[in-house]
Amino acid sequence: MKFTDGYWMTRPGVSLLRPVGVDEVVAGDGSLTVYAATAKLTKRGDTLNRPLVTITLDSPAEGVLGVTVEHFRGALDRGPHFELTGAGHPVAKVEAPQGGPATLTTGNLTATVAAEGGWSLDIAVDGRRVTGSDARGLALVDDNGTAYVREQLDLGVREHVYGLGERFTAFVKNSQTVDVWNADGGTSSEQAYKNVPFLLSDKGYGVFVDHPEHVSFEIGSEAVSRTQFSVPGQRLRYYVIAGPDPKDVLRRYTALTGRPAAVPDWSYGLWLSTSFTTSYDEDTVLSFIDGMAERGLPLSVFHFDCFWMRQFHWSDFVWDPATFPDPEGLLRRLHERDLKVCVWINPYIAQRSYLFDEGRELGYLVTNPDGSVWQWDLWQAGMGLVDFTNPDAVAWFQGKLRALLDMGVDCFKTDFGERIPTDVVWHDGSDPQAMHNYYTHLYNKAVFDLLVAERGEGEAVLFARSATAGGQQFPVHWGGDCESTFVSMAESLRGGLSLSMSGFGYWSHDIGGFEGTPDPAVFKRWLAFGLLSSHSRLHGSDSYRVPWAFDQEAVEVTRRFTELKLSLMPYLSRVGRTAHTEGLPVMRPMVLEFPADPAAATVDTQYMLGENLLVAPVFSADGEVDVYVPEGTWTSLIDGSTVTGPRWHRQQHDFLSVPLLARPDSVLPVGARTDRPDYDHADGVTLRVFEPADGHDSTTRVGEVSFRVTRSGDTVTAVATGAIAPWSLQLGDQVVSAEGDRATITL
């Protein structure tokens, strides 16, 4: 939100109170509190009729600086609040010498505040100043009678800002206005399904604004040298999270807001959907599954979209008897084909659903201030909304889903959760403005918790559309409704890259696009991109996405890239575990892996799959693609050719190829199977070594086995530790089978 008219003036009706006169700095137990008047204090009379700004610095975790700015403290705190770890446990060292600046140090981050004059804050990471605030940037705002608190942090030369959720606009957020407000706006707009008030700077820090309500960001847009954020009300709480590496920022941020859960190996396989409004029944479903098997296309999950339920009944979780007369038998037959089953759900309860009357009578639906049930006709006729702030409503909703799990359903696509009203009353008294974004967190948590309870940790998985900060704990998330074009394919990737810089470990998208029907070229190019993503799903709106609906080559492309992905499971499963244990995403922007490479800062048409594979989707029918290659010699996994960097390369690829490059001086474990994702990844694994430097020494873990690979002179050696099955070592064209726990190749 913009408050100023240019650099010097404010907009009509806007007034700003700035902390220009520091009265006192008080040191506490791991905290500093600054009392600053909104005018210079030259005599005692200046303290009268004078608003005071209170700024408190603390640290909930090592390397994390908390900043609280307050005007009036008397407001009711109705919640909700993000669930953060470490709150209330001071971990900072404070120094406040008489007459000098005061410092608060937490880990490798030091905050310095002035003890006199106007408010100023300098933030350093590893002794280097990365950003700060001053009396011109921090302000209490009155905008025509509405109060806000605004902060501005410095932006440096060649500093780039990323994140803020799954945003489909430019990957680098500089010069953008970003409103953190969940909306069902598709992928072709500035709106977003997954809004996260967290940004990451390549200067070595991140900023998390601890407010689930509407947060407005101006990233070098209102003030071109500042990152600005504002919230309504009299209080602002934010955290500055230290690097210096972007990976360090993500590790600390996800430790604070929650790490992604581990996902089952089967979820990495190919998912096939009925699509949305297409005509389908049991025969259609079985024909799709049989068609995949007849063509040798490995399939792991079958998804039933909305019309598994009766029209006008969403959601009642009752199978449509006209199209699925024997759901238990159908699910049993799908399991006999070794498939997992996903069904579509959402938290909106149509008036025609039997759950509407049941929920109304029990008090489980969100109400208007007069006590009536909130309703509208957008999406489903007369629909109401499950109140997840009511523990009894959560248990009720989970009970309906548990019946589906007992029937044989394995996971849920948790759609919607963005269109949440702000003029309603919640069971726990939560602020309806703050609940607009936070609702999705409670919704997805309720479903995920049920899956954990029924299926166990490591087996629970969602296919979720909406999210906010902390939502990364409930994977997997997909990109939402995109068009079936190359342009939309690229905007989907930008959304995924932004989400990965916002703490989310796994991400997917609709292969071929959702809206409309892709032409065969778009579909085939999207196949390579989708099957080299964290998770892979064939899904559309009003047309099927079975490969043979396009052309015969689409079948071959599907087979090639599905089998390629399944062979990479020893690697992908390990990268997924890293997402769970460290908060680092499976799909990584180039800047996350190469923060010291200036050219990597703005690349948004390619990504790293884990730390060792570079993927550059082809966004054209003719196969021409530009690939940025960082320093070193990179090897194509498709044909074994090499390219060197740092530089851009223009390449030509047919539909059965894509730029997929192995990082120099890396080890890539490749599995022995290409028919399924959930196999013993260590059995028959091949360790492919690429351009090993002399002195190379790394350890690669595959399942319960660890492989240490070293190079000394002309000899490359791999040694296995743990339960050992047959395995091989490969360098270039040389492949050596291991003898027991050891394999050696001479260059």
Side-chain angles (χ1 to χ4, degrees):
M1 179 175 291
K2 294 181 172 69
F3 301 106
T4 58
D5 177 10
Y7 187 70
W8 292 280
M9 301 175 65
T10 59
R11 296 192 171 196
V14 173
S15 61
L16 305 178
L17 293 172
R18 298 184 170 99
V20 297
V22 171
D23 177 60
E24 188 179 12
V25 178
V26 179
D29 181 12
S31 68
L32 289 172
T33 301
V34 180
Y35 297 97
T38 52
K40 293 182 179 180
L41 302 177
T42 58
K43 58 184 185 300
R44 284 186 170 182
D46 293 335
T47 64
L48 303 178
N49 304 309
R50 179 68 56 202
L52 198 66
V53 183
T54 304
I55 306 149
T56 304
L57 309 185
D58 58 27
S59 177
E62 186 176 286
V64 179
L65 169 68
V67 181
T68 305
V69 182
E70 295 173 300
H71 183 203
F72 298 143
R73 284 185 179 168
L76 293 175
D77 184 0
R78 300 167 61 187
H81 306 100
F82 292 126
E83 297 176 1
L84 307 181
T85 61
H89 303 283
V91 297
K93 176 183 177 182
V94 171
E95 295 182 358
Q98 186 69 31
T103 63
L104 181 149
T105 301
T106 172
N108 63 335
L109 183 151
T110 298
T112 304
V113 297
E116 56 186 22
W119 158 255
S120 72
L121 169 65
D122 292 304
I123 301 170
V125 174
D126 288 341
R128 180 177 66 94
R129 186 184 189 278
V130 294
T131 191
S133 170
D134 60 25
R136 182 171 185 84
L138 182 60
L140 308 176
V141 182
D142 184 300
D143 185 352
N144 292 284
T146 301
Y148 297 87
V149 182
R150 183 199 75 181
E151 175 66 294
Q152 293 179 338
L153 299 178
D154 301 338
L155 271 176
V157 177
R158 296 176 66 185
E159 179 178 353
H160 303 90
V161 171
Y162 312 93
L164 296 172
E166 182 193 49
R167 317 209 76 85
F168 306 101
T169 54
F171 174 54
V172 176
K173 299 303 181 285
N174 297 52
S175 300
Q176 294 188 40
T177 295
V178 175
D179 286 309
V180 173
W181 191 251
N182 284 1
D184 179 6
T187 70
S188 300
S189 76
E190 65 180 356
Q191 295 180 355
Y193 304 104
K194 308 170 189 66
N195 286 267
V196 180
F198 168 75
L199 61 85
L200 194 155
S201 166
D202 62 0
K203 200 172 179 181
Y205 68 96
V207 177
F208 172 49
V209 181
D210 187 12
H211 289 261
E213 66 265 34
H214 179 231
V215 184
S216 182
F217 287 85
E218 300 287 344
I219 312 297
S221 45
E222 180 165 14
V224 297
S225 61
R226 307 287 182 95
T227 293
Q228 173 177 305
F229 42 94
S230 59
V231 297
Q234 306 283 350
R235 179 182 182 274
L236 168 66
R237 171 74 169 171
Y238 70 93
Y239 300 92
V240 179
I241 302 171
D245 190 285
K247 290 183 179 180
D248 296 325
V249 177
L250 284 182
R251 289 186 184 101
R252 287 188 168 117
Y253 169 71
T254 56
L256 186 68
T257 59
R259 294 266 165 81
V263 297
D265 283 344
W266 57 258
S267 71
Y268 288 95
L270 182 58
W271 299 45
L272 175 62
S273 166
T274 57
S275 291
F276 172 29
T277 61
T278 53
S279 177
Y280 53 85
D281 56 16
E282 180 172 329
D283 290 340
T284 311
V285 169
L286 294 177
S287 73
F288 286 169
I289 293 169
D290 291 342
M292 296 290 284
E294 290 164 3
R295 292 166 175 84
L297 303 177
L299 186 63
S300 298
V301 183
F302 192 85
H303 168 69
F304 293 85
D305 216 54
C306 313
F307 282 95
W308 70 271
M309 291 180 277
R310 296 164 292 175
Q311 61 191 28
F312 292 116
H313 288 261
W314 305 341
S315 292
D316 65 356
F317 313 126
V318 176
W319 292 82
D320 186 343
T323 50
F324 300 105
D326 178 23
E328 291 92 342
L330 175 59
L331 298 183
R332 184 178 62 254
R333 289 187 284 277
L334 296 186
H335 287 150
E336 289 170 353
R337 287 167 164 83
D338 207 15
L339 293 173
K340 300 293 185 179
V341 176
C342 175
V343 298
W344 176 95
I345 64 170
N346 74 36
Y348 306 156
I349 308 299
Q351 183 170 276
R352 193 174 175 185
S353 165
Y354 84 94
L355 295 183
F356 183 89
D357 288 337
E358 188 175 309
R360 178 185 60 179
E361 292 169 6
L362 293 170
Y364 294 163
L365 302 181
V366 174
T367 61
N368 294 305
D370 65 2
S372 62
V373 172
W374 175 88
Q375 292 181 264
W376 69 3
D377 287 324
L378 192 58
W379 180 245
Q380 288 290 284
M383 56 160 272
L385 189 65
V386 178
D387 188 343
F388 289 106
T389 72
N390 183 342
D392 292 335
V394 172
W396 172 73
F397 189 78
Q398 290 174 329
K400 306 304 179 182
L401 298 183
R402 185 177 290 107
L404 292 170
L405 297 179
D406 293 342
M407 190 181 293
V409 169
D410 298 289
C411 57
F412 298 105
K413 172 183 171 181
T414 48
D415 206 351
F416 289 86
E418 307 94 353
R419 295 175 177 174
I420 308 304
T422 57
D423 56 352
V424 293
V425 176
W426 295 91
H427 171 81
D428 71 348
S430 284
D431 179 351
Q433 290 287 331
M435 274 300 300
H436 174 84
N437 286 343
Y438 198 70
Y439 183 86
T440 177
H441 189 83
L442 298 180
Y443 162 41
N444 282 297
K445 184 179 188 301
V447 182
F448 197 84
D449 285 351
L450 171 67
L451 287 167
V452 171
E454 296 294 317
R455 295 291 187 255
E457 292 186 8
E459 281 296 310
V461 65
L462 305 178
F463 218 81
R465 187 173 77 172
S466 58
T468 188
Q472 67 269 8
Q473 299 171 83
F474 319 124
V476 169
H477 295 81
W478 102 98
D481 297 348
C482 49
E483 296 178 331
S484 299
T485 65
F486 283 119
V487 171
S488 197
M489 181 177 162
E491 75 195 17
S492 294
L493 175 57
R494 293 196 298 273
L497 296 180
S498 289
L499 192 66
S500 73
M501 294 293 256
S502 306
F504 285 68
Y506 315 89
W507 179 76
S508 187
H509 44 97
D510 292 340
I511 293 175
F514 177 75
E515 297 287 351
T517 301
D519 65 42
V522 170
F523 182 70
K524 287 180 285 192
R525 296 297 185 195
W526 211 317
L527 277 166
F529 169 37
L531 284 159
L532 290 170
S533 297
S534 154
H535 286 73
S536 310
R537 184 180 70 159
L538 295 167
H539 179 70
S541 178
D542 55 4
S543 57
Y544 303 132
R545 290 292 183 269
V546 289
W548 54 91
F550 297 90
D551 58 30
Q552 179 57 36
E553 189 177 40
V555 175
E556 297 172 14
V557 173
T558 304
R559 183 185 305 110
R560 176 169 179 75
F561 285 101
T562 303
E563 291 181 348
L564 174 60
K565 183 177 187 182
L566 299 181
S567 74
L568 293 174
M569 277 305 301
Y571 173 70
L572 293 175
S573 182
R574 194 264 303 159
V575 172
R577 286 196 299 275
T578 301
H580 170 57
T581 58
E582 298 185 39
L584 302 180
V586 175
M587 299 172 68
R588 304 175 183 179
M590 298 300 293
V591 67
L592 191 61
E593 279 297 326
F594 302 97
D597 185 341
T602 58
V603 176
D604 62 4
T605 53
Q606 61 188 61
Y607 56 95
M608 296 295 293
L609 188 60
E611 70 274 17
N612 289 334
L613 288 178
L614 188 158
V615 182
V618 180
F619 301 106
S620 65
D622 62 11
E624 188 173 89
V625 57
D626 293 323
V627 188
Y628 177 70
V629 178
E631 185 176 3
T633 300
W634 295 66
T635 305
S636 169
L637 246 62
I638 302 296
D639 61 15
S641 61
T642 60
V643 289
T644 59
R647 56 164 294 195
W648 285 90
H649 292 265
R650 178 159 293 178
Q651 298 184 349
Q652 196 78 27
H653 289 262
D654 63 26
F655 290 112
L656 291 167
S657 180
V658 69
L660 175 61
L661 307 175
R663 188 173 188 165
D665 202 30
S666 69
V667 178
L668 183 71
V670 178
R673 296 185 64 169
T674 59
D675 61 332
R676 61 185 304 134
D678 47 346
Y679 57 92
D680 182 350
H681 299 152
D683 188 0
V685 70
T686 298
L687 302 179
R688 297 192 61 180
V689 184
F690 298 94
E691 303 293 330
D694 194 10
H696 175 100
D697 190 340
S698 67
T699 299
T700 298
R701 188 171 182 83
V702 180
E704 300 303 316
V705 183
S706 293
F707 298 91
R708 183 181 180 188
V709 178
T710 58
R711 177 185 171 184
S712 179
D714 292 336
T715 302
V716 176
T717 303
V719 178
T721 302
I724 302 168
W727 60 280
S728 302
L729 180 66
Q730 180 176 354
L731 179 61
D733 294 330
Q734 297 186 71
V735 182
V736 173
S737 297
E739 296 183 2
D741 64 352
R742 182 178 297 266
T744 300
I745 288 178
T746 302
L747 300 176

